Amino acid sequence: MGEMLRVEHLKKYFNNPRGLLHAVDDVSFTINKGDTLGVVGESGCGKTTLGRVVIKLLEPTDGKIFFEGRDITNIGKKENIELRKEMQIIFQDPYSSLNPRLHVIDLIADPLKAFRLMGRKAQKERVLELMDMVGLSRRFAYSYPHELDGGRRQRVGVARALALSPKFIVCDEPVSSLDVSIQAQILNTLQDLQEQHQLTYIFVTHDLSVVKHISTDILVMYVGAMVEKCGAKELFKKPLHPYTKGLLAAIPVPNIDYKREKIVLQGELSSPINPKRECRFVNRCPYATDICRQEIPVYEEVLPNHYVSCHHVREINSL
Amino acid sequence: MNLLEIKGLTIHYAMRANTVHAVNNVSLVIEPGQTLGLVGETGAGKTTTARGIMRLIQTPPGKIVSGEILFEGVDLLKISSAEMRSIRGKSISMIFQDPMSALNPILTVGEQIAEVIHLHEKCSKREAEERSREMLEMVGIRPERAGEYPHQFSGGMKQRVVIAIALACSPKLLIADEPTTALDVTIQAQVLDMMRELKDKLNTSMLLITHDLGVVAETCDAVAIMYAGEIVEYGSLERLFHNPKHPYTLGLFGSIPSLDKDTDRLNPIRGLMPDPSALPKGCKFRERCDYACDECRKEEQSLREIEPGHTVRCMRVAGGVLNG
């Protein structure tokens, strides 16, 4: 499969009263067509900002974005709008991302209207077809968002994102606000759609079990920086970075016979504002030494297709 | 003697047009030192049950219609408001889900902890302040921070403060309503770890409300699964996790992407939870259940024991149909 999206040394900084907030700091990766890149991390690690920058909802501060080989980093406003037909996003909160005054049918038709792609009749047909695709009964066509439960609202969000038949979708915590039984329904729908329409996803989430389930590759972020990236199964079998190890050990597993090493990471996330030139994880890392405070670790391929940024990765894992 | 015994608790909310049946005939038991996990999805009635125990149901529109809440043998529903106030925060205390809104933004955290101690322990303000510092230290916050305000703390630290307030008078029962849901997973691990430690140290019993079966597996001794205001399955942690029987419990387990196994597809529960103001007759889960039959429609289901210390509210299990 060919390459869909490539990101090189992407940076996004925000001005903040207290300094420069490094939301995304030097992130690079490639996603192949039909794959899903899961982006995980805790609140404030920059995963949502990353998702927004790669589809150009936010302008990057530095770095390059290539979509199907084309450099889209500095394209004009018109081209940016055209890009919406190819790249879409599903937002986290289905409560605040839908206009409360529009019917479901108009909400889903919105992208079609924006590009004046078809006549009214064809448009309605298309909307109903989209509703079938995402498993939203046609009887809700004239409902308002507040009349729907969270799961159905999120289906409206999915249908909207699919309206223009994009190739690439950023799913920004699409199931985080839903109960587990509903969450599973939506995840299955997203997987089916991916198969049927050969979609490529970036799946942003804080939930590691969800990301393992849905991703081809996983990128772990910590305070704006890349920590580790590899195949989804590999990450869970063989996490190499101390943060990833701690993160995996912290997930409560609903199986009382599942035994594993107990690691409780102490301390809290460091601030992304004017970060020092050191490893971002140094204050919580059990293996930290002087070099970790003096230099930012290099993000390198430690094992085939397994990237880690840690000064001590080889000794910790005896590689 | 059981520390807490709830018998047939029923709580309704009278709305303008209809009545919401939030909690229906719930019975639970907590032994001294035990942690009971109350699990269910949004709207299952978990929080209402907890507030019922604390007698914090807003009336109207809420009303405890029937039932008994026996705490050390005394029915909390029969005592006066003043007596209840002397229990609340002292013998039974509660941790709320959202630490951001549970703290008073214009009082320092030290003052908020001292307030409980001063009120219940009849000690001087000075002494209470002294003890509030000790509490902070116990939950892993430097005592010098007693003079800081809630906004100066991170989410995880705020939840530690809330826990310090709840444990300040060494309660016999701690009700924790989704104490870690708002926290990141590494912070959640820290807080759960600390709660387990303190619980053992102070010999506190706990009612842990959560939607996360993983948290239950790591924290609880017994589990009650709640659906549409009813307990649908109840038993020791081991029995319930090794041998889950109710179709809803099975559905919950099937909905969680597994970390220890590779699954291609999840097995979610179809449909949605019924509207609590218009609950169906018979089994409340039958519309989403793969094993439902005509009998489920007619009969109100009762909790039946399928093995010692493990009860299930499903006639298909008791009838031997569901034995997977």
Side-chain angles (χ1 to χ4, degrees):
Chain A
M1 283 276 208
E3 157 194 317
M4 178 59 89
L5 185 85
R6 187 169 85 242
V7 166
E8 290 176 357
H9 304 292
L10 195 68
K11 290 179 187 162
K12 178 66 191 174
Y13 298 165
F14 293 101
N15 279 316
N16 182 286
R18 283 179 291 152
L20 207 53
L21 191 151
H22 295 226
V24 174
D25 216 352
D26 202 0
V27 169
S28 309
F29 58 79
T30 307
I31 311 175
N32 288 334
K33 284 182 182 152
D35 280 359
T36 300
L37 175 72
V39 179
V40 277
E42 300 180 271
S43 331
C45 74
K47 53 191 192 299
T48 292
T49 307
L50 177 69
R52 293 186 182 196
V53 175
V54 297
I55 62 163
K56 299 294 300 292
L57 278 183
L58 289 170
E59 286 297 321
T61 307
D62 197 13
K64 292 255 178 253
I65 308 164
F66 297 90
F67 181 63
E68 295 193 296
R70 182 164 77 104
D71 185 351
I72 59 164
T73 323
N74 294 309
I75 53 173
K77 207 175 166 191
K78 250 195 191 145
E79 285 172 289
N80 214 343
I81 291 170
E82 284 300 311
L83 204 59
R84 295 289 151 257
K85 289 188 198 160
E86 316 271 339
M87 307 176 107
Q88 278 288 335
I89 181 164
I90 301 168
F91 292 101
Q92 173 168 9
D93 183 4
Y95 295 82
S96 59
S97 57
L98 300 175
N99 184 338
R101 296 173 51 163
L102 292 185
H103 286 136
V104 164
I105 191 164
D106 295 318
L107 284 165
I108 301 175
D110 236 8
L112 300 171
K113 285 182 191 159
F115 286 94
R116 299 202 182 90
L117 288 178
M118 45 186 82
R120 273 178 63 188
K121 215 168 158 197
Q123 193 176 289
K124 190 176 168 188
E125 271 310 302
R126 172 74 180 146
V127 171
L128 294 176
E129 187 190 306
L130 284 161
M131 289 178 75
D132 293 344
M133 258 162 65
V134 301
L136 189 64
S137 166
R138 291 185 173 202
R139 72 192 154 98
F140 295 112
Y142 291 96
S143 301
Y144 288 103
H146 77 265
E147 296 172 295
L148 306 180
D149 61 88
R152 292 209 176 97
R153 267 186 247 208
Q154 199 52 290
R155 287 181 195 274
V156 175
V158 176
R160 256 163 86 92
L162 288 173
L164 297 166
S165 314
K167 296 172 184 155
F168 179 81
I169 301 180
V170 172
C171 310
D172 185 8
E173 305 252 17
V175 296
S176 307
S177 59
L178 308 174
D179 273 318
V180 285
S181 70
I182 310 299
Q183 182 176 322
Q185 294 172 4
I186 301 283
L187 286 175
N188 280 347
T189 303
L190 287 172
Q191 278 183 313
D192 292 343
L193 290 168
Q194 178 167 40
E195 237 163 74
Q196 288 156 16
H197 303 272
Q198 288 83 48
L199 296 168
T200 307
Y201 290 146
I202 282 190
F203 201 97
V204 174
T205 180
H206 68 278
D207 188 331
L208 284 136
S209 40
V210 167
V211 89
K212 176 187 177 218
H213 180 71
I214 203 152
S215 309
T216 331
D217 290 306
I218 297 179
L219 170 67
V220 183
M221 288 182 73
Y222 189 78
V223 199
M226 291 185 295
V227 160
E228 184 161 0
K229 184 187 161 240
C230 65
K233 280 181 188 156
E234 167 123 353
L235 186 86
F236 284 84
K237 241 179 252 147
K238 205 171 186 183
L240 297 179
H241 194 285
Y243 174 63
T244 317
K245 288 175 198 264
L247 194 62
L248 294 183
I251 318 167
V253 175
N255 177 352
I256 49 176
D257 302 317
Y258 184 63
K259 296 277 175 276
R260 56 180 169 175
E261 197 188 344
K262 192 178 150 88
I263 314 167
V264 177
L265 288 178
Q266 297 305 319
E268 304 201 358
L269 271 71
S270 56
S271 165
I273 298 167
N274 299 334
K276 287 187 211 142
R277 287 201 61 79
E278 61 180 14
C279 172
R280 301 269 158 100
F281 186 59
V282 65
N283 292 325
R284 299 176 78 185
C285 184
Y287 307 100
T289 58
D290 286 345
I291 187 162
C292 305
R293 295 189 190 280
Q294 287 152 7
E295 278 172 45
I296 297 177
V298 183
Y299 180 73
E300 55 179 337
E301 191 166 6
V302 177
L303 291 172
N305 198 28
H306 195 148
Y307 299 82
V308 182
S309 53
C310 172
H311 289 296
H312 299 303
V313 62
R314 292 196 168 79
E315 13 181 319
I316 293 169
N317 298 290
S318 28
L319 296 174
Chain B
M1 189 176 60
N2 294 319
L3 180 71
L4 182 80
E5 189 169 356
I6 303 175
K7 290 184 191 166
L9 184 67
T10 301
I11 303 174
H12 291 174
Y13 288 94
M15 309 312 275
R16 231 178 314 165
N18 48 32
T19 304
V20 175
H21 297 249
V23 175
N24 305 312
N25 199 11
V26 164
S27 301
L28 296 169
V29 167
I30 300 179
E31 290 162 22
Q34 197 188 36
T35 299
L36 171 68
L38 187 58
V39 183
E41 297 179 271
T42 317
K46 313 180 294 281
T47 299
T48 306
T49 305
R51 288 182 168 262
I53 300 170
M54 291 294 270
R55 274 184 50 190
L56 287 173
I57 301 285
Q58 198 184 4
T59 316
K63 188 168 188 265
I64 299 181
V65 179
S66 58
E68 289 173 40
I69 300 172
L70 301 170
F71 179 70
E72 300 190 298
V74 179
D75 189 350
L76 297 182
L77 298 178
K78 294 215 172 84
I79 61 176
S80 69
S81 302
E83 283 172 299
M84 191 62 214
R85 269 202 300 280
S86 70
I87 290 178
R88 218 184 274 132
K90 178 156 172 58
S91 310
I92 309 179
S93 57
M94 185 155 171
I95 301 171
F96 295 90
Q97 174 168 1
D98 181 7
M100 326 299 159
S101 55
L103 294 171
N104 186 336
I106 58 165
L107 290 180
T108 65
V109 300
E111 283 170 329
Q112 297 187 53
I113 302 171
E115 187 185 8
V116 199
I117 301 169
H118 178 63
L119 187 73
H120 287 296
E121 309 273 311
K122 316 247 171 335
C123 60
S124 72
K125 285 221 159 123
R126 189 82 181 261
E127 236 176 297
E129 262 167 45
E130 199 52 49
R131 295 249 324 258
S132 81
R133 280 167 211 277
E134 284 166 27
M135 285 311 296
L136 276 179
E137 202 162 9
M138 203 164 87
V139 295
I141 299 175
R142 279 181 292 118
E144 303 92 86
R145 297 192 71 183
E148 291 183 20
Y149 291 90
H151 76 266
Q152 294 170 285
F153 292 82
S154 67
M157 285 294 171
K158 269 188 230 167
Q159 196 59 299
R160 284 171 192 261
V161 172
V162 173
I163 292 169
I165 296 174
L167 294 178
C169 299
S170 312
K172 295 189 176 116
L173 176 66
L174 178 66
I175 300 175
D177 187 1
E178 306 256 11
T180 56
T181 305
L183 308 177
D184 274 320
V185 7
T186 59
I187 309 297
Q188 163 170 291
Q190 291 173 4
V191 170
L192 286 178
D193 217 38
M194 185 194 78
M195 281 174 65
R196 267 191 300 263
E197 217 170 89
L198 292 179
K199 201 187 83 75
D200 288 345
K201 195 166 146 195
L202 305 172
N203 196 26
T204 303
S205 305
M206 182 154 77
L207 176 65
L208 178 74
I209 295 175
T210 179
H211 65 276
D212 189 333
L213 285 167
V215 170
V216 171
E218 293 190 355
T219 322
C220 299
D221 307 306
V223 194
I225 310 279
M226 204 166 179
Y227 183 80
E230 289 180 338
I231 304 293
V232 293
E233 186 158 4
Y234 188 17
S236 71
L237 179 75
E238 202 164 303
R239 288 190 200 273
L240 201 137
F241 272 66
H242 279 154
N243 192 18
K245 280 291 186 216
H246 195 283
Y248 177 65
T249 314
L250 295 170
L252 278 184
F253 278 106
S255 297
I256 313 168
S258 167
L259 277 178
D260 47 337
K261 279 183 247 109
D262 293 327
T263 36
D264 287 336
R265 228 181 136 71
L266 301 171
N267 291 307
I269 309 165
R270 63 192 147 86
L272 301 168
M273 185 139 54
D275 179 353
S277 65
L279 291 174
K281 265 218 171 68
C283 173
K284 306 200 170 29
F285 186 62
R286 67 174 153 81
E287 283 163 351
R288 305 176 72 184
C289 181
D290 291 332
Y291 306 93
C293 64
D294 279 350
E295 295 300 305
C296 304
R297 194 179 303 272
K298 287 179 211 142
E299 259 178 77
E300 207 57 49
Q301 308 283 315
S302 56
L303 269 176
R304 295 170 223 215
E305 192 163 67
I306 56 157
E307 56 183 330
H310 185 179
T311 51
V312 180
R313 193 184 293 278
C314 176
M315 56 184 291
R316 302 291 273 173
V317 173
V321 178
L322 240 164
N323 261 323

